[in-house]
Amino acid sequence: MGSFRLTVEGRTFRDPAGREVTIRGINVAGDAKFPRQPNIPSHVSDGFFEGDSVSFVGRPFSVDEAHEHFVRLRSWGYNTLRYIFTWEAIEHAGPGRYDDDWIQHTIAVLRIAKEYGFHVFLDPHQDVWSRFSGGCGAPLWTLYACGLDPRGFADTEAAIVHNTYPEPAEFPKMIWSTNYYRMVCQVTFTLFFGGRDFAPKAIIDGKNIQDYLQEHFVGACQYLAKKIHEAGDLEDTPVIGWESMNEPNRGLIGYPDLSSIPSEQKLQKGTSPTAWQGMLTGSGRPCEIETWEFGQMGPYRSGSRLVDPRGTSAWLSPDFDDTRYGWKRDPDWKLGRCIWAQHGVWDPESDTLLRKDYFAKDPHTGELLDYDRFTNTYFMDFYRRYRDAIRSVHPSAILFCQPPVLEIPPTVKGTEDDDPHMVYAPHYYDGLTLMTKSWNRYWNVDVLGVLRGRYLTPAFAIKLGETAIRNCFRDQLAAIRQEGLDHLGEHPCILGEFGIPFDMNDQHAYKSGDYSSQCHALDANHYAVEGSGMNGFTLWLYAATNNHRWGDHWNGEDLSIYSVDDGVLPTTMDPSQIPGKASPASRAPITPSNLKANLSTPSMASDSTAVETESKPTPGYRAAEAFVRPSPITTAGDVQSYGFDLKGCTFSLTLTAATASTPDYPTEIFLPEFHFPNGVTEVEVSGGRWTIGVDDSAETPIQTLKWWHAEGEQSIKVKGVVRPIGNAGIIDEDGYLNQYWQGTCSVM
């Protein structure tokens, strides 16, 4: 499909012809989390603290490289990009100092995305606040503005940072995510969302730190939006909209007791300090802190460990040059002292906790603060500020609302915030697989059900057997989708992130070529999305520089569906690879003059004859058979249900149509050639006419099925080539499109 403007109608996306559009997207790209010049992935320490002088020009990849990546992604059937960028990329040099070179690079890449027919929404990405607190997102200077000293984080464990970890290759699995419950994140997110209420002394340039941080974050995104607007050819196509903020966190807002772990905190790994212990160690005091491990049965306490910073503080020294960035800090905000001590939460003279419930109530009304109230007040105040700033530049922008992960979305249904151009964009991960880096086919847990209190005990939330696990994933996503309808209103819902680690079982697949575990895990997740009633997804992740040694080059994660060290799934099958099919006498090289002919002939139509086949198993291609899967593209009517049975290689779609599809606007389905090679594909329809051919309207030829059907309820079933899961089942030979992007043909 070529580029077209995507619009929102009620709970669906529509194309200009009124057909429902299913979002089949990918997060692009993980490389955008860290700078290009100098290249500082999370396992590199050299130059790490020189955060003001970096450049993100060339992220997520260079303009020259963009064609290769977009060809690959389009050939895999993706039609949407969740385009990752960070606040740091725009404003790393200091407050109000924007990197116009990076912005021009971004505009150039977006123009290429438009050539390939992608819909794009921009994601101001953050994880645990900043690279300098163990994740990505905010510039270095924001930590200084909050009074924090990143060089003190390692000794105090105020944040666990891969770049400063003594043995980067031994960095514990997923330990980075525990930073949300360590001091730095608890400070920064509390100040960002609730500084006016909980840190009234934190005044900088005459305004509270909450307004200072939010104004700069929103201002940086608005500046990028203005430059995209001024480009003149990017709004609406391809840039359909903006996401609010990746995975926002409440910090300490709503903590009932600073001296204990909140009951809703389900993640504990490594040292697991209470907020009070974090305040003490952050100020240089030693504490004996519980340690936790994450096993096949979830987190469990493994002991305790003394964390002794030996006087090192995570707070800036009073000698810090506070004129460095040009701001003026209020005299009542003292450097060198914990911000919460300055507000009477604890006494640094006696190391006594004075107000353990300081963050538990709204200081104005006295109402108890829980996550639900945080989302409906502090988060929504920020969301409105962000939404209005983006819409002031791009009035037709779709806003992708992402509340805190796995929390109930804000209740705006029927209010003035019930925006007809809003989309609910939650995230969901199979936590057991993500944390253990292994696929457990025998049991899993209904995490959402536990969080919503649906079980008397978590033991009742355990699901046994792969079928029950798959259905449990699906039911959790369906419940998340329903929560969006109940609280946000009639809006589309896309799953903004889900994915699986590819380095499962100590990188077994990289040694053996057996990606069966990855295939089963990926297929279970896609099955869940397809059966949930959501309007699509953006899979996490595509990383252009992923390799087997360092994965995504970020905190030991390895979730990219592409790796420079793995083969790429061919997109066509030579008939000689299918038993019963004649081998061609010769195969001419693919050239620009014959590319389209090779891809478009022979085509299939309603009267084609299908042949049952069995293919020879060979090592897999990074589990691509599980994520390169068929999907509705545009549906002439309303999608009722769809899904792909990978084991049986069968795709099914049911729809309802108020009128018959027209000659120019049929229902269109992406059919990957790997699963559905021409001549060996069976199609059953409730009625109407169909054809299978190649669509090259968006620069990259992809195989599609077009179906002209009557009004009413209609169904289609397409059966392809069955192969063992985890083995690609083809010989090691370039397919047509594989030749295309590897340079054996040149069409640019």
Side-chain angles (χ1 to χ4, degrees), residues 119-244:
H119 308 297
V120 178
F121 64 97
L122 292 153
D123 162 37
H125 206 84
Q126 75 80 31
D127 296 288
V128 296
W129 187 259
S130 171
R131 283 196 300 127
F132 305 94
S133 50
C136 69
L140 174 63
W141 59 262
T142 64
L143 292 165
Y144 295 143
C146 292
L148 293 163
D149 181 3
R151 295 179 185 273
F153 295 170
D155 289 340
T156 60
E157 294 195 8
I160 307 296
V161 182
H162 195 191
N163 298 83
T164 60
Y165 200 75
E167 297 293 336
E170 304 302 319
F171 196 61
K173 300 174 185 176
M174 296 301 294
I175 194 74
W176 72 265
S177 57
T178 67
N179 283 322
Y180 278 117
Y181 309 108
R182 299 180 188 273
M183 194 202 80
V184 176
C185 278
Q186 290 174 335
V187 169
T188 53
F189 281 105
T190 303
L191 297 181
F192 184 87
F193 285 110
R196 289 197 300 269
D197 285 348
F198 298 103
K201 293 182 181 180
I203 304 298
I204 191 167
D205 280 353
K207 61 189 70 173
N208 186 269
I209 187 65
Q210 173 183 340
D211 296 304
Y212 187 82
L213 293 173
Q214 286 196 21
E215 285 176 10
H216 278 284
F217 174 83
V218 172
C221 294
Q222 186 182 40
Y223 184 80
L224 175 58
K226 287 178 180 177
K227 293 300 181 181
I228 290 173
H229 173 77
E230 290 169 4
D233 59 346
L234 295 174
E235 285 184 342
D236 299 327
T237 54
V239 179
I240 60 173
W242 293 69
E243 191 170 301
S244 46

Side-chain angles (χ1 to χ4, degrees), residues 462-646:
I462 295 175
K463 306 298 177 182
L464 301 176
E466 192 159 16
T467 297
I469 291 169
R470 288 163 63 92
N471 290 338
C472 177
F473 291 172
R474 178 200 61 199
D475 294 345
Q476 288 180 77
L477 294 187
I480 290 172
R481 201 283 177 263
Q482 187 59 49
E483 287 178 348
L485 294 172
D486 292 342
H487 293 270
L488 291 175
E490 294 288 312
H491 304 285
C493 175
I494 68 165
L495 191 62
E497 284 188 26
F498 71 104
I500 60 109
F502 281 85
D503 56 343
M504 291 182 183
N505 306 317
D506 297 321
Q507 300 188 335
H508 172 73
Y510 298 163
K511 305 164 190 173
S512 67
D514 177 8
Y515 281 89
S516 56
S517 290
Q518 289 84 345
C519 280
H520 284 289
L522 266 176
D523 183 52
N525 278 266
H526 280 86
Y527 165 84
V529 180
E530 292 164 357
S532 68
M534 292 183 175
N535 302 88
F537 61 84
T538 50
L539 176 67
W540 187 270
L541 166 77
Y542 186 90
T545 57
N546 175 287
N547 61 31
H548 287 179
R549 182 180 182 188
W550 293 110
D552 303 331
H553 296 276
W554 187 82
N555 280 329
E557 286 200 347
D558 192 358
L559 280 76
S560 175
I561 61 173
Y562 169 75
S563 175
V564 298
D565 290 336
D566 280 307
V568 177
L569 188 74
T571 55
T572 62
M573 286 184 64
D574 191 299
S576 64
Q577 299 170 33
I578 304 171
K581 287 290 181 179
S583 176
S586 63
R587 182 173 177 182
I590 307 304
T591 65
S593 61
N594 68 16
L595 174 65
K596 185 173 180 180
N598 274 289
L599 287 168
S600 60
T601 58
S603 63
M604 292 183 66
S606 307
D607 57 355
S608 298
T609 301
V611 178
E612 292 187 6
T613 66
E614 181 179 345
S615 55
K616 179 182 178 182
T618 60
Y621 285 80
R622 202 168 175 85
E625 54 263 55
F627 64 79
V628 180
R629 53 203 291 131
S631 172
I633 303 172
T634 50
T635 302
D638 297 297
V639 174
Q640 297 302 304
S641 64
Y642 77 95
F644 178 51
D645 171 12
L646 176 60

Side-chain angles (χ1 to χ4, degrees), residues 344-357:
V345 177
W346 66 287
D347 178 10
E349 300 300 323
S350 61
D351 289 350
T352 304
L353 180 60
L354 303 175
R355 301 181 64 185
K356 67 179 183 180
D357 62 348

Side-chain angles (χ1 to χ4, degrees), residues 258 276 279 339-347 352-356 358-359:
L258 295 174
W276 167 227
M279 292 176 190
I339 188 65
W340 308 129
Q342 295 183 59
H343 286 85
V345 177
W346 66 287
D347 178 10
T352 304
L353 180 60
L354 303 175
R355 301 181 64 185
K356 67 179 183 180
Y358 179 74
F359 301 95

